[in-house]
Structure formats: C-alpha cells, structure tokens
Amino acid sequence: MTIGNTNVATLQQMLVPQRLLGRAVAGMRTVTWGSMPIGALLGGVLGTVLGLRAALVVVVVGFLASAIWLAFSPLTTMRDPLEADNDD
C-alpha cells in the first residue's frame, strides 16, 4: 500500500495542474477511503457464501490480476518525469 500510494501521489503531482491538485487528491481519497467499507462488506459476504478459503482464493486472484494489468500498462515504460506545470 505504501508503494502504491507513493506512486499515485507522484503521478498526480506530475499530471494534474497545480490549481486542480487539491481537488484531484480529495477526489482520489474520497473514492479510495469510501470504497473500503464496501470492500469489507463484500469480503464478509464472500466469506459467508463461499467459505473463508474460497473467499481468500478470490482475493488472491484479484491481486494477481491487478498486478498483471499493471505490468502491461504504459506505467512500466514511464522513465522521465513529465515537465512540471508552473501555473502558479
């Protein structure tokens, strides 16, 4: 989570204009923190319906799918930071 949060914050600061950065960060936090209770509820339902082992298998498959998606995304080819937007 720490590495992911650091990468997201870095990309936001590189891509979002300075005047909109606060709104972008607030929106991202709302989506991220707001989805946590939904994920907890879904995990509880999966654990109840499928059983704990099967629910954990679903979680592992989801994590692996997200890692594979990231591995083939354009993010892996980004090497040079984009020019900072100086809209001060």
Side-chain angles (χ1 to χ4, degrees):
M1 287 299 295
T2 302
I3 293 170
N5 288 336
T6 302
N7 289 337
V8 166
T10 301
L11 278 174
Q12 283 178 334
Q13 291 172 2
M14 287 176 19
L15 299 175
V16 176
Q18 185 67 31
R19 66 183 186 283
L20 300 175
L21 189 56
R23 294 177 191 168
V25 170
M28 187 65 141
R29 286 187 181 174
T30 299
V31 170
T32 303
W33 288 91
S35 65
M36 286 182 184
I38 296 168
L41 183 62
L42 182 61
V45 169
L46 279 176
T48 301
V49 172
L50 301 177
L52 294 179
R53 288 184 190 265
L56 287 174
V57 168
V58 170
V59 170
V60 168
V61 169
F63 279 137
L64 290 175
S66 67
I68 290 169
W69 176 73
L70 282 174
F72 292 106
S73 76
L75 293 175
T76 59
T77 61
M78 294 178 84
R79 298 288 183 239
D80 296 328
L82 301 174
E83 288 186 25
D85 188 31
N86 294 326
D87 288 342
D88 296 6

